[in-house]
Amino acid sequence: MAHALIASPFLDGYLLLKPGARAGARISADHFEGLRQAAADSESLPAWAVQTAADVWGLDLGSRPAQGTVLVREPSPYGYCRASWEINLGCNFGCKHCYLGERPFSGLGWEDKVRLLDIMREAGVLWLQITGGEPTMDPDFQGAYRYAWQAGMMLTSPSSNLTRMFLGPRVAEGVPTSNSPEDGCTALLT
């Protein structure tokens, strides 16, 4: 079962988020610690979390356990919250205005991509945008996107020319996308 919510440190506070949703809820340090403890002890979701999920996202989580329902992110001493990652430098177009120009397709191997995503998670990155070159042309794009989601990152729509993108709200099956208004392909994904 995939997590329905993410509880995460954010700057000087804590957030409760739903993957794929723009809305979130600020929560107290006590509520964050309570969620962390409930997940560790295999307890039910606290009543306040059930009510918040219903009020903010219309979710009915009343009978769900905290473990598996909420992914609780560990605090980071670094405090980063947002990152943009160029997964590769290649593109299938040769646009005159683009800084990529005639760069050959290149990028990290799978193990290094996983290592980089782990480093970003440990640094506190909560929101991640995967760009490129053309990100969807990377052979590991869907795997990296899914790995980041499973690590508790809120993923924004990739900056893409859409050549190999699904024309739907999910770029990797079962992984929600949190669209941001600054993303060029948002209108086509929503």
Side-chain angles (χ1 to χ4, degrees), residues 3-172:
H3 54 272
L5 301 174
I6 297 170
S8 180
F10 179 73
L11 300 176
D12 61 348
Y14 300 90
L15 296 177
L16 187 62
L17 303 166
K18 178 184 178 292
R22 288 185 180 196
R26 283 196 168 271
I27 61 174
S28 68
D30 289 342
H31 281 163
F32 178 79
E33 289 303 323
L35 274 176
R36 184 178 3 199
Q37 196 62 49
D41 295 343
S42 299
E43 297 174 359
S44 296
L45 278 174
W48 69 265
V50 172
Q51 189 62 51
T52 300
D55 292 347
V56 177
W57 304 289
L59 295 177
D60 180 9
L61 302 178
S63 62
R64 306 256 308 257
Q67 188 176 46
T69 301
V70 180
L71 189 152
V72 180
R73 302 250 329 226
E74 291 298 316
S76 168
Y78 307 107
Y80 289 97
C81 60
R82 186 174 181 90
S84 182
W85 173 32
E86 288 188 6
I87 194 170
N88 65 48
L89 296 177
C91 186
N92 54 334
F93 289 162
C95 303
K96 290 182 180 182
H97 66 274
C98 183
Y99 72 94
L100 290 172
E102 300 191 17
R103 289 191 180 174
F105 184 87
S106 62
L108 299 172
W110 175 249
E111 293 80 18
D112 289 331
K113 287 174 180 155
V114 167
R115 183 171 163 257
L116 179 61
L117 288 167
D118 287 342
I119 289 168
M120 283 192 264
R121 181 195 65 233
E122 292 166 14
V125 171
L126 181 56
W127 279 276
L128 177 64
Q129 178 185 27
I130 301 176
T131 68
E134 170 51 38
T136 62
M137 292 195 58
D138 190 280
D140 298 320
F141 172 75
Q142 287 189 6
Y145 202 91
R146 179 174 301 285
Y147 189 88
W149 177 74
Q150 290 170 338
M153 294 183 198
M154 298 286 287
L155 298 159
T156 60
S157 300
S159 176
S160 172
N161 66 29
L162 298 176
T163 12
R164 295 181 55 191
M165 171 132 349
F166 297 90
L167 291 178
R170 301 176 191 280
V171 294

